Amino acid sequence: PCRSFHGKNRLLTSQIVSYYEPINKCKKELPEYFNFASDVLDEWARLEKDGRKPTNPAFWWVNDEGEEVKWSFEELGSLSRKAANVLSGACGLQRGDRVIAVLPRVPEWWLLNVACMRAGIVLIPGTSQLTAKDISYRLQASKAKCIITSDTMAPAVESVLPGSQSLKSKLLVGQGSRDGWLNFKELL
């Protein structure tokens, strides 16, 4: 059994294919600039707000203990704009700058993905299984200007920071605080 979040208004595969078929045959004009956050998520939020699309969760996360985080399209849009402001404001990042995120798959991981899309920042995702050597290599190879990590991964990140010349800011996702780190939740 499967649940349908779209009810009777669910798009059929044939409808989705028929929409993209003209694009594939170069018969539909593509936008010069496309931003998933503003062109898709914000549009869906507007359609829900106008009553032209049923309200559905844009994001629904459940952890092993059963805790849930559920955001509507409007909430995801608003939170991602705030997160993009944190990245561009407090972290001093600009369009095209690179960010490394070494996080477990917590809600902030997805939020930061959307925020980076919105702000034109290049996100380099990293698993929480990375070693200090892995993190050091990624920092050097990418020339990332910001690193985002959790309380538990911060010590491994800090151990390799002296070798990273391009890094300008460090963002911590979690409840704790560390010297020299910005706290994402406080800034959000």
Side-chain angles (χ1 to χ4, degrees):
C2 68
R3 274 196 271 190
S4 170
F5 294 114
H6 300 286
K8 296 176 185 167
N9 295 333
R10 192 165 86 189
L11 283 176
L12 300 173
T13 304
S14 61
Q15 290 172 306
I16 295 169
V17 170
S18 68
Y19 176 79
Y20 288 104
E21 196 172 319
I23 293 172
N24 289 334
K25 293 180 179 179
C26 298
K27 293 182 180 174
K28 190 169 191 171
E29 190 154 329
L30 296 175
E32 185 177 352
Y33 301 101
F34 175 79
N35 185 302
F36 180 79
S38 57
D39 294 335
V40 176
L41 295 179
D42 291 350
E43 177 63 15
W44 286 3
R46 190 182 62 72
L47 291 173
E48 282 185 356
K49 191 174 183 179
D50 293 347
R52 295 182 15 212
K53 182 180 180 308
T55 302
N56 291 302
F59 177 81
W60 193 349
W61 176 88
V62 182
N63 70 6
D64 293 337
E65 289 80 42
E67 296 174 82
E68 290 186 4
V69 173
K70 195 185 296 188
W71 295 323
S72 68
F73 285 96
E74 187 174 345
E75 290 168 324
L76 181 58
S78 174
L79 287 169
S80 67
R81 281 187 287 281
K82 289 179 182 180
N85 286 337
V86 167
L87 295 172
S88 60
C91 296
L93 300 173
Q94 298 176 7
R95 180 175 296 281
D97 286 345
R98 295 176 197 95
V99 172
I100 295 179
V102 183
L103 290 170
R105 296 309 177 252
V106 292
E108 292 84 1
W109 188 86
W110 280 276
L111 179 59
L112 287 160
N113 270 270
V114 176
C116 284
M117 287 180 219
R118 188 175 293 283
I121 296 168
V122 179
L123 178 76
I124 303 165
T127 173
S128 55
Q129 296 173 332
L130 293 176
T131 65
K133 183 179 176 182
D134 297 328
I135 295 167
S136 177
Y137 172 76
R138 283 165 173 77
L139 281 169
Q140 299 308 315
S142 69
K143 296 180 178 37
K145 291 188 177 180
C146 178
I147 189 157
I148 305 167
T149 195
S150 63
D151 300 333
T152 55
M153 290 296 297
V157 170
E158 285 178 334
S159 72
V160 300
L161 290 181
S164 178
Q165 290 79 28
S166 59
L167 199 64
K168 304 285 185 235
S169 57
K170 302 172 291 192
L171 196 57
L172 191 66
V173 173
Q175 301 303 326
S177 64
R178 296 183 82 81
D179 286 341
W181 288 77
L182 300 169
N183 185 292
F184 179 68
K185 289 183 179 185
E186 288 175 11
L187 293 169
L188 194 62

